[in-house]
Amino acid sequence: MGTGTAGTAGGGGRELPIVIVGASLGGAKAAEALREAGYDGGIVLIGDEHERPYERPPLSKGYLLGKTPREKIHVHPPQWYAEHDVTLRLGTAVAAIDPAAHTVTLADDGRIGYHKLLLTTGSVPRRLPVPGADQDGVLYLRRVEDSDRIRAALRPGARLVVIGAGWIGLEVAAAGRAAGAEVTVLEAAELPLLRVLGREVAQVFADLHRDHGVDLRFGAQVTELTGSGGTVDGVRLGDGSTVAADAVVVGIGISPATGLAEAAGLEVDNGVKTDQHLRTSAPDVHAAGDVANAFHPLFNRHIRVEHWANAVNQPQTAARAMLGQPDAVYDRVPYFFTDQYDLGMEYVGYVEPGGYDRVVFRGDPATREFLAFWLKDGRVLAGMNVNVWDVTDPVRELVRSGRTVDPKALADPGAPLGEL
Ligand SMILES: Cc1cc2nc3c(=O)[nH]c(=O)nc-3n(C[C@H](O)[C@H](O)[C@H](O)COP(=O)(O)OP(=O)(O)OC[C@H]3O[C@@H](n4cnc5c(N)ncnc54)[C@H](O)[C@@H]3O)c2cc1C
Ligand SMILES: NC(=O)c1ccc[n+]([C@@H]2O[C@H](COP(=O)([O-])OP(=O)(O)OC[C@H]3O[C@@H](n4cnc5c(N)ncnc54)[C@H](O)[C@@H]3O)[C@@H](O)[C@H]2O)c1
């Protein structure tokens, strides 16, 4: 069976498609990669959302601010799916997968056979487990309609309370301030983004938001959301105080959407476990994007990455692996970005919480135009450029090479990164 042929696995003798469960960034990119690799068999892309595959980063940035129109957020134009003979089934939830029978069962009871299956089911927001959290005006941000609801709440003078100072919380806070809302951010930890960035760099984001008028409160313990008539009107904290709110946005992290995989007996541990080819523990089932906890050869361990670039790139490897190409290995260095107010940044690398022993700055973080590097034993684990551009390639190369560097040279803006 070559790459140009649909499979006949499952024993039925008829041609079976490649089925992709999860029609968002990862799923749409996988369909694209399969066609680019020359596969001309059937592709069925199934998603429970009604919107055709779209990108989520604008939902907390340009789209939320009303600057990026809806027609600009999609992964492909509407006609792309028919042009590439991809059967797109929107508004369709997959209820179960059966790796032995090579079938997926739809929530409406239909059944589809596959010869290869890709899980790109992504992740879902963690719910706030306190009384009052199910009231109107308590908002989460994952889907385009969530962004629409939050945008409607971002009115001048509105009191917006954001719970969680992670990526969602900070980007929504910035959008809220841009819209003229009064914004309070309640974070359980001592600083924003602490697990990812560590104390030294997290402070930069705390300063940024305070300078833009955000009331940032750390060590906050949310105990209850108060309300009247079923609508939220405040957030009660562990110290007994209450913060008044016209709307509450909760961004306290996500959980990978592993339900289908677990029920089918696939190995699941902080996501669907895969090898470096993005193959799961079940034959002919692959996983990519937010849901995949993939073995990474560079780091010699499994990592799960919850960022856009991973959902763009992993599906290319998964597609090639599904087509039987043995050199399809996912070993890219993780990359992500954010935009908040006038701060734009890119980050490349991977650091476990507390997994570094030194931070080196190139430039003054107070100017918000600098690079930061996280080191362990003299090696660069990750680098971040803030309002400095076109440096990602040499930073990625420093991380990938694993070579020891002179911290003085690393801190010296005059020393070319590529020559360290
Ligand atoms: C508001 C927001 C802003 C972001 N901004 C950035 C950013 O600036 N930079 C960055 O690097 N990353 C950002 N991210 C993260 C990035 O969007 C995700 O990493 C990316 O969307 C993951 O893509 P995915 O395809 O793996 O999963 P998802 O985007 O979660 O898509 C999974 C899809 O599968 C569907 N699905 C799940 N289960 C089933 C089922 N049983 N049947 C049918 N369909 C199913 C879901 O409904 C969903 O449509 C942001 C995320 C959000 C929410
Ligand atoms: N620029 C980007 O890369 C970007 C932007 C938006 C979203 N995303 C992705 O979207 C997903 C969700 O983002 P997120 O911000 O929700 O998750 P996150 O993991 O980035 O941050 C969650 C924050 O909530 C805090 N928290 C947890 N429980 C809390 C509680 N009960 N009270 C107060 N604070 C609490 C955590 O300490 C943490 O700071 C992530 O996968 C993220 O990577 C990425």
Side-chain angles (χ1 to χ4, degrees):
M1 185 172 69
T3 57
T5 319
T8 55
R14 65 199 161 83
E15 290 202 335
L16 293 170
I18 292 180
V19 171
I20 304 169
V21 181
S24 181
L25 180 59
K29 282 290 171 189
E32 180 185 310
L34 284 165
R35 289 296 180 234
E36 277 179 0
Y39 171 73
D40 63 6
I43 300 175
V44 183
L45 175 55
I46 309 172
D48 57 4
E49 294 190 66
H50 292 274
E51 191 80 20
R52 76 175 189 277
Y54 60 93
E55 311 227 359
R56 300 187 199 273
L59 305 186
S60 52
K61 307 179 191 70
Y63 183 79
L64 182 59
L65 288 164
K67 290 183 178 165
T68 304
R70 196 166 180 125
E71 55 273 19
K72 292 269 181 194
I73 67 172
H74 299 94
V75 183
H76 297 113
Q79 67 279 12
W80 184 90
Y81 297 90
E83 283 171 6
H84 292 82
D85 200 15
V86 173
T87 305
L88 179 60
R89 299 198 53 173
L90 297 176
T92 305
V94 170
I97 59 174
D98 184 338
H102 281 62
T103 57
V104 304
T105 304
L106 307 178
D108 68 6
D109 245 16
R111 194 164 290 186
I112 302 174
Y114 64 80
H115 89 277
K116 298 279 179 187
L117 175 68
L118 177 65
L119 297 175
T120 47
T121 48
S123 50
V124 286
R126 279 191 207 124
R127 313 303 284 189
L128 188 68
V130 301
D134 54 355
Q135 298 177 95
D136 289 345
V138 181
L139 307 168
Y140 290 81
L141 180 49
R142 187 77 199 170
R143 295 184 166 187
V144 64
E145 56 269 26
D146 299 330
S147 184
D148 292 336
R149 280 191 280 269
I150 295 173
R151 193 195 318 177
L154 300 185
R155 293 181 309 274
R159 296 162 305 174
L160 176 71
V161 177
V162 176
I163 302 179
W167 299 110
I168 292 274
L170 295 187
E171 291 179 3
V172 168
R177 291 301 295 144
E182 298 298 320
V183 182
T184 304
V185 176
L186 305 172
E187 163 61 48
E190 291 163 65
L191 282 169
L193 302 168
L194 189 58
R195 274 174 58 82
V196 192
L197 301 183
R199 179 170 304 282
E200 300 84 349
V201 180
Q203 188 62 51
V204 174
F205 284 86
D207 295 343
L208 173 73
H209 283 269
R210 287 210 165 110
D211 287 355
H212 284 84
V214 175
D215 180 358
L216 276 177
R217 305 196 194 173
F218 299 117
Q221 200 198 341
V222 174
T223 56
E224 185 187 352
L225 301 189
T226 60
S228 65
T231 300
V232 74
D233 66 8
V235 179
R236 183 145 15 243
L237 298 173
D239 61 7
S241 64
T242 301
V243 184
D246 298 311
V248 173
V249 174
V250 181
I252 58 169
I254 56 95
S255 307
T258 54
L260 291 176
E262 261 170 89
L266 272 63
E267 196 181 344
V268 170
D269 175 15
N270 176 34
V272 179
K273 269 199 139 171
T274 79
D275 65 8
Q276 60 193 15
H277 309 289
L278 304 175
R279 295 182 302 203
T280 71
S281 59
D284 300 320
V285 183
H286 293 64
D290 272 21
V291 78
N293 186 11
F295 181 79
H296 198 296
L298 188 63
F299 308 114
N300 198 30
R301 78 188 85 157
H302 284 81
I303 65 171
R304 193 174 61 75
V305 178
E306 302 171 2
H307 289 288
W308 175 89
N310 186 66
V312 168
N313 294 316
Q314 272 192 344
Q316 293 168 21
T317 300
R320 291 178 49 237
M322 287 192 288
L323 299 177
Q325 298 177 18
D327 63 338
V329 167
Y330 193 76
D331 65 355
R332 281 193 184 236
V333 180
Y335 164 92
F336 60 82
F337 58 93
T338 189
D339 294 308
Q340 298 169 28
Y341 312 105
D342 51 359
L343 181 151
M345 79 78 154
E346 296 172 288
Y347 176 109
V348 60
Y350 179 72
V351 189
E352 304 234 291
Y356 63 94
D357 55 27
R358 182 169 188 171
V359 172
V360 172
F361 287 104
R362 172 180 282 228
D364 180 359
T367 64
R368 296 190 189 128
E369 205 175 296
F370 67 95
L371 279 77
F373 301 93
W374 289 260
L375 282 74
K376 171 103 177 157
D377 300 330
R379 295 179 168 82
V380 177
L381 303 179
M384 176 173 119
N385 47 299
V386 175
N387 290 340
V388 175
W389 304 108
D390 301 325
V391 291
T392 307
D393 287 346
V395 175
R396 182 184 295 112
E397 176 45 30
L398 270 179
V399 173
R400 180 173 282 287
S401 75
R403 62 180 180 266
T404 52
V405 292
D406 172 9
K408 277 208 189 100
L410 197 56
D412 177 3
L417 289 171
E419 293 170 20
L420 297 183

